[in-house]
Amino acid sequence: MTNPSDGRGKLLFTPGPLTTSRAVKEAMLQDLGSRDTAFIDTVRRIRQRLLTLAGVSQERGYEALLMQGSGTFGLEAVVSSTVPRGGRLLVLVNGAYGERIVQMTGVLGIDTRVVRYAENTPLDVAEVRQVLAEDPAITNVSAVHCETTTGLLNPVEELGAVVREAGRYFFVDAMSSFGAIPLDLEAACIDFLVTSANKCLEGVPGFSIVLARREALLATEGAARALSLDVQAQWRGLEANGQFRFTPPTHTILALEQALQELEKEGGMAGRAARYRANHAALIDGMRRLGFQVYLRPEHQSYIITSFHYPDDPRFSFGVFYERLNEKGLVIYPGKLTHADCFRIGTIGQIFTQDVERLVAAVGQVLEEMGVSMAAPSPASSS
Ligand SMILES: *Cc1c(COP(=O)(O)O)cnc(C)c1O
């Protein structure tokens, strides 16, 4: 506990796990059996709440299920159990998380077509339309909503329309966006969406969330390549008796219910979006004043996480920079780019503009201690 100002402990300016509220952590101080009716009721309420957040419902043909493990387990569950045997997955890539889906298909032996874009460039909807027209073997398409590698936002609504029109199934990795960037599942023609408990929903790590269009979910019969990651079987289990097939992460599920109540109190996705947007604006403003350059163009940049170029000074060392900030209870994140030296700062989780301002002040102080000189501040941008 190194944050002297308010006793919240370290503040995480990362892509997750994130800073959570005290009430979310306290919700876990209870041992419930997996067959306890109070627990089963909680799971049922959470599944309904998640559909409401996504703008859909069971009546309108959508289902929500929870899958043990981190976000990647949810992605691998969808990849391994929704691409039909003999099907082909078109993977759209413009960052490390898109590449991770390619890696999964390699391990699983799923036939794949990969279309790659530079890490600073959004997915190209017109090209996807063309690829789908030329390649009838493609059965499913995957895209990442917010590419957390850079913070870039991909045009999933437009992509969804093109994929649906071409009669293929559309899968979106919305891990770092769901809960904070409004997305209507039906309007975006999304068949499967994966997010996790511990990003913008502000729960704690332990499971991922799969939202699915029921018809698409039913059509996956026989596609599963793993027992524990079978999304249709997981859903059938929950529907049958409200229970998980294997030990559920009971404590972290209790934490998510509290987190969802807090999200509602904040004004839902719109309210959360407003706070994160303000965090991001404070960050960009402060870091520009210090002389930092943002990696992405403002029109592609989300308010989730931001990549900054390293200062152009040999006295800068990311390791030292990170450690000095960490000692002050402020945790940032290394870059993950292939062609540029960047670090990342997240603006999501239980953090507020005054926390961001504190971080910016600490960044200025650490640079001074390191003797790093910055280029002249960049002119104010239109963002
Ligand atoms: C965080 C993240 C993941 C991976 O989630 P884990 O919980 O670390 O497994 C996948 N995709 C995106 C876009 C993410 O931001």
Side-chain angles (χ1 to χ4, degrees):
M1 294 295 183
T2 50
N3 180 347
S5 62
D6 55 11
R8 279 188 292 160
K10 284 188 181 180
L11 296 182
L12 305 177
F13 296 90
T14 68
L18 303 171
T19 310
T20 57
S21 75
R22 173 170 284 273
V24 164
K25 290 185 270 284
E26 282 172 353
M28 292 186 285
L29 297 175
Q30 207 189 147
D31 302 314
L32 285 182
S34 56
R35 289 157 185 266
D36 192 304
T37 52
F39 176 67
I40 288 173
D41 287 346
T42 299
V43 172
R44 185 176 37 75
R45 284 193 300 268
I46 285 178
R47 291 172 65 209
Q48 275 169 7
R49 268 208 163 107
L50 290 167
L51 290 176
T52 307
L53 270 176
V56 294
S57 62
Q58 279 192 306
E59 294 71 47
R60 279 161 67 189
Y62 288 83
E63 298 290 343
L65 60 102
L66 311 180
M67 185 62 81
Q68 297 95 324
S70 83
T72 303
F73 291 66
L75 296 174
E76 197 149 21
V78 169
V79 171
S80 66
S81 65
T82 69
V83 179
R85 286 174 192 271
R88 176 178 293 172
L89 177 64
L90 169 62
V91 188
L92 304 173
V93 178
N94 57 350
Y97 293 100
E99 291 295 352
R100 189 173 291 178
I101 293 177
V102 178
Q103 265 180 301
M104 285 174 191
T105 62
V107 171
L108 290 161
I110 290 174
D111 183 23
T112 303
R113 169 116 181 226
V114 184
V115 178
R116 287 189 173 84
Y117 299 89
E119 287 163 328
N120 61 0
T121 307
L123 305 175
D124 182 339
V125 180
E127 188 178 1
V128 171
R129 180 185 282 118
Q130 206 177 334
V131 170
L132 291 176
E134 284 167 8
D135 189 345
I138 294 169
T139 48
N140 300 59
V141 178
S142 81
V144 179
H145 188 202
C146 172
E147 235 314 344
T148 322
T149 311
T150 52
L152 182 145
L153 207 55
N154 279 312
V156 291
E157 287 96 340
E158 292 87 335
L159 282 168
V162 162
V163 174
R164 178 68 54 85
E165 189 189 293
R168 321 298 168 83
Y169 293 107
F170 189 36
F171 163 38
V172 174
D173 171 353
M175 207 72 71
S176 62
S177 57
F178 190 81
I181 300 180
L183 183 66
D184 182 316
L185 231 61
E186 201 165 8
C189 301
I190 295 172
D191 296 299
F192 302 97
L193 176 147
V194 171
T195 188
S196 92
N198 66 267
K199 292 205 179 185
C200 298
L201 295 175
E202 297 188 1
V204 302
F207 62 95
S208 59
I209 294 155
V210 180
L211 303 180
R213 191 167 63 85
R214 190 185 308 117
E215 231 173 81
L217 185 59
L218 290 170
T220 63
E221 192 70 48
R225 293 150 178 93
L227 176 72
S228 63
L229 296 177
D230 182 340
V231 290
Q232 192 187 118
Q234 186 87 344
W235 169 65
R236 286 193 190 282
L238 287 167
E239 285 294 294
N241 56 10
Q243 292 178 24
F244 283 71
R245 294 175 300 154
F246 312 113
T247 302
T250 47
H251 299 79
T252 59
I253 285 173
L254 294 174
L256 185 69
E257 181 164 54
Q258 173 62 28
L260 291 175
Q261 279 162 10
E262 292 178 13
L263 174 57
E264 214 160 276
K265 245 189 255 158
E266 193 170 5
M269 283 211 202
R272 183 142 301 172
R275 174 162 59 88
Y276 287 176
R277 221 183 248 121
N279 286 347
H280 178 251
L283 178 71
I284 296 291
D285 182 52
M287 293 295 276
R288 281 225 178 92
R289 269 190 281 112
L290 291 174
F292 281 96
Q293 308 275 348
V294 177
Y295 170 75
L296 287 178
R297 289 164 60 162
E299 64 268 33
H300 302 147
Q301 174 71 55
S302 68
Y303 45 81
I304 301 294
I305 190 165
T306 309
S307 297
F308 295 95
H309 286 285
Y310 282 5
D312 188 16
D313 182 332
R315 282 167 293 193
F316 180 81
S317 142
F318 178 75
V320 174
F321 181 62
Y322 172 91
E323 262 317 315
R324 296 264 176 97
L325 289 172
N326 187 45
E327 282 160 16
K328 296 177 193 293
L330 304 164
V331 181
I332 63 165
Y333 218 64
K336 215 177 192 176
L337 291 169
T338 37
H339 300 297
D341 275 337
C342 285
F343 61 87
R344 288 178 286 173
I345 298 182
T347 35
I348 56 180
Q350 268 297 295
I351 51 173
F352 302 84
T353 48
Q354 58 269 33
D355 300 316
V356 175
E357 282 156 11
R358 205 178 114 212
L359 173 69
V360 170
V363 166
Q365 202 183 330
V366 169
L367 289 179
E368 209 174 299
E369 286 167 15
M370 291 172 74
V372 173
S373 73
M374 301 293 292
S378 53
S381 133
S382 53
S383 75

